[in-house]
Amino acid sequence: MTASILVVEDEPAIQELIAVSLARSGHAVQRAASAEEAMRSIAGVLPDVVLLDWMLPDESGPILARRLRNEARTREVPIIMLTARASDEDKVAGLESGADDYVTKPFSPRELEARIQAVLRRRTPQLSKEAVEIEGLVLNPATRTVAGAGKSLKMGPTEFELLHFFMTHLDRVHTRAQILDQVWGDHVFIEDRTVDVHIRRLRDALSASGHDDLVETVRGAGYRFLSKR
Amino acid sequence: MTASILVVEDEPAIQELIAVSLARSGHAVQRAASAEEAMRSIAGVLPDVVLLDWMLPDESGPILARRLRNEARTREVPIIMLTARASDEDKVAGLESGADDYVTKPFSPRELEARIQAVLRRRTPQLSKEAVEIEGLVLNPATRTVAGAGKSLKMGPTEFELLHFFMTHLDRVHTRAQILDQVWGDHVFIEDRTVDVHIRRLRDALSASGHDDLVETVRGAGYRFLSKR
DNA sequence: CCCTCCGGTCACGGAACTGTCACACTACGA
DNA sequence: TCGTAGTGTGACAGTTCCGTGACCGGAGGG
């Protein structure tokens, strides 16, 4: 599998080495010598993987990693960090910043390619399958179940997806159009008011476990899911 | 191979780190910050692996491990313990409590994933040989027999494999494609709807011993085998 | 050769779900 | 207070999805 890869490395010789190696493997390579350049590059083209030198002169490697992790657009992009030595401090700092993997210099092109393939394979296009819990309400995507107050809640597929979306986007007001985009998909042509109906069906389902008032109507704007009552 | 994983870790930052990393690898993640939460979570969904922080504030890590090992439903679930440092005392205590493996902090996502895959590999062949029992329904792979309510149940080979797959992957929803991959093999060219027919044949066979309602239809998603009614 | 068992497919009917509407109701400004 | 825009609710028809019985063909045994 080939990918679009951003290489963030300040040392020209090493950057060249990596870029050539990756290009030979069929990847589309973009280069940056600093965090600023990297952000500009990402603003243009969202890469599939970021190779990030941890030893940038101004200590901007970890900072850049955190920025990528904190912004919605780049949150899911895997980061492989390049470290001079595998010290424990580096590992800890890297993991806390959200790096997916690290490669210690010196490394072979083979190893680098293997790591890239690994993170690409691991990348999941779908929503996170992690269970979510709010106010005693537990939604488990793996079992496709919702439980509240000890009992299992019954609801239709659309209501389930709707609840999943809400529980992973707490306290924010979503317009009906946004909800349609996120839950139904951005290609459908469905009336806004349809959302209202599914909101009601979701409320009905939630009230079975006493979880009323979790879905709040914001008049003139849309709906919002409250993280606490 | 992806799995359902329970992360027991009281430190929110580390818990988040691990959970995100595992979710990115395609695993279904459930979280708990204490032994009590962990037990509640397990009561709902039986995980394939438990990641257990050994340094829970109230010393409940080893206690939880022993409880899991002493209860029939959780006896077979592999436990990977997370230790701050690999002191000998920890190793001894961990192994005595029944942990299958341990990982020392700091650790990389790769390392963690490798350990998980290792215990899953180690566990799977055992599951395929050992008898499985759910709700009085006993499936014995060695003799290829199924017994429920005292009498032997008659079913075809495909239904047997299907039941075996279900009984070793409880509560989770499987799409028809996943079921085809796991039971028929991932190379077959069979209609999705064929799964439906075998589901019915399996249900018919199970109803002979009164085990109705064990195979649940999840409309729009697939099927799931319930561990308790 | 026949007979039985089993696996895969199909067609049909029913059940569940969806999107929409009409109407009742509520909140908010004039 | 009243009017109006916005929202909740019940109902309904179209659609999708699933359970079921039946069929056919192949494998294997007597």
Side-chain angles (χ1 to χ4, degrees):
Chain A
M1 191 194 321
T2 63
S4 166
I5 300 178
L6 173 63
V7 179
V8 188
E9 167 67 62
D10 62 309
E11 180 65 43
I14 301 181
Q15 189 200 69
E16 175 72 12
L17 205 69
I18 296 174
V20 168
S21 166
L22 293 178
R24 193 168 303 179
S25 299
H27 300 291
V29 181
Q30 282 174 290
R31 311 183 188 201
S34 67
E36 285 68 25
E37 271 189 42
M39 290 308 291
R40 274 202 300 278
S41 173
I42 289 174
V45 179
L46 191 67
D48 298 318
V49 182
V50 174
L51 292 186
L52 181 57
D53 184 17
W54 217 244
M55 296 301 173
L56 292 179
D58 54 349
E59 293 290 339
S60 59
I63 297 171
L64 176 60
R66 288 199 185 86
R67 285 184 64 182
L68 294 178
R69 278 292 179 267
N70 287 334
E71 292 186 16
R73 185 158 168 272
T74 57
R75 183 166 299 143
E76 297 298 326
V77 178
I79 299 172
I80 299 179
M81 65 180 191
L82 312 174
T83 63
R85 282 172 301 164
S87 68
D88 283 349
E89 302 93 278
D90 284 350
K91 287 188 188 179
V92 172
L95 294 175
E96 284 179 352
S97 301
D100 293 78
D101 203 351
Y102 58 90
V103 181
T104 18
K105 304 177 189 175
F107 51 85
S108 69
R110 287 180 55 86
E111 180 181 357
L112 185 59
E113 179 65 20
R115 304 289 179 125
I116 291 171
Q117 292 301 327
V119 294
L120 286 178
R121 233 178 295 120
R122 236 177 287 159
R123 178 185 54 180
T124 48
Q126 54 193 342
L127 276 176
S128 163
K129 284 200 275 187
E130 201 176 330
V132 199
E133 188 269 333
I134 295 293
E135 291 284 318
L137 193 69
V138 182
L139 180 146
N140 192 324
T143 59
R144 225 182 160 80
T145 53
V146 182
K151 39 189 164 187
S152 172
L153 298 184
K154 186 170 159 48
M155 65 183 68
T158 305
E159 283 70 47
F160 183 88
E161 295 298 334
L162 185 58
L163 179 60
H164 191 196
F165 168 70
F166 272 137
M167 290 181 75
T168 49
H169 298 82
L170 299 174
D171 295 320
R172 284 180 53 187
V173 177
H174 307 280
T175 68
R176 292 173 174 76
Q178 288 171 338
I179 293 174
L180 280 175
D181 282 357
Q182 295 290 326
V183 178
W184 276 259
D186 55 1
H187 55 289
V188 295
F189 59 117
I190 292 182
E191 300 289 326
D192 274 8
R193 290 301 311 279
T194 299
V195 174
D196 297 22
V197 180
H198 284 279
I199 291 283
R200 176 174 63 87
R201 288 169 181 163
L202 175 59
R203 282 173 171 157
D204 287 348
L206 292 182
S207 73
S209 70
H211 287 85
D212 303 277
D213 311 323
L214 272 180
V215 181
E216 188 182 69
T217 303
V218 182
R219 194 179 173 84
Y223 296 95
R224 157 168 58 177
F225 194 85
L226 301 175
S227 59
K228 51 185 171 184
R229 285 183 260 192
Chain B
M1 191 192 325
T2 63
S4 169
I5 300 178
L6 173 64
V7 179
V8 188
E9 166 68 60
D10 62 307
E11 180 64 42
I14 301 181
Q15 189 200 67
E16 172 74 13
L17 206 70
I18 297 173
V20 169
S21 167
L22 293 177
R24 191 165 303 184
S25 298
H27 300 292
V29 181
Q30 190 111 17
R31 310 184 190 202
S34 67
E36 285 69 24
E37 272 189 40
M39 291 309 290
R40 272 203 301 278
S41 173
I42 290 173
V45 180
L46 191 68
D48 299 319
V49 181
V50 174
L51 293 185
L52 180 58
D53 184 17
W54 217 244
M55 296 300 175
L56 294 180
D58 55 348
E59 293 289 339
S60 57
I63 297 172
L64 176 60
R66 288 198 184 85
R67 285 184 64 184
L68 294 179
R69 278 292 179 264
N70 288 333
E71 292 186 15
R73 186 158 168 270
T74 57
R75 182 166 299 145
E76 298 297 325
V77 178
I79 299 173
I80 299 178
M81 65 179 191
L82 311 174
T83 62
R85 280 173 302 167
S87 71
D88 285 347
E89 303 94 278
D90 285 349
K91 290 185 188 177
V92 171
L95 296 176
E96 282 180 353
S97 301
D100 293 76
D101 202 351
Y102 58 91
V103 180
T104 27
K105 305 178 190 175
F107 50 85
S108 71
R110 283 181 61 86
E111 183 177 353
L112 187 59
E113 178 67 18
R115 304 292 179 120
I116 291 171
Q117 293 300 330
V119 294
L120 286 178
R121 265 196 307 278
R122 219 178 298 153
R123 187 65 52 172
T124 304
Q126 289 185 8
L127 283 179
S128 64
K129 277 190 272 182
E130 289 179 5
V132 199
E133 186 270 332
I134 295 293
E135 291 283 322
L137 192 68
V138 181
L139 179 144
N140 192 329
T143 58
R144 291 190 75 86
T145 54
V146 182
K151 40 188 164 185
S152 172
L153 297 184
K154 185 170 159 50
M155 66 182 68
T158 304
E159 284 71 40
F160 181 87
E161 293 299 333
L162 185 57
L163 179 60
H164 189 199
F165 169 69
F166 272 137
M167 290 182 76
T168 50
H169 297 81
L170 299 175
D171 293 321
R172 296 186 63 175
V173 174
H174 308 279
T175 66
R176 293 173 174 76
Q178 288 170 339
I179 294 173
L180 281 175
D181 283 357
Q182 296 290 326
V183 177
W184 276 259
D186 56 1
H187 55 287
V188 295
F189 46 94
I190 293 182
E191 300 288 327
D192 275 6
R193 290 299 310 277
T194 299
V195 174
D196 297 21
V197 180
H198 285 279
I199 290 283
R200 177 173 63 88
R201 289 169 180 164
L202 175 58
R203 281 172 172 158
D204 288 348
L206 292 181
S207 73
S209 69
H211 288 86
D212 303 278
D213 310 324
L214 273 179
V215 181
E216 191 180 72
T217 303
V218 181
R219 195 179 171 84
Y223 296 95
R224 136 175 85 176
F225 195 85
L226 300 175
S227 59
K228 53 183 174 184
R229 283 184 262 192

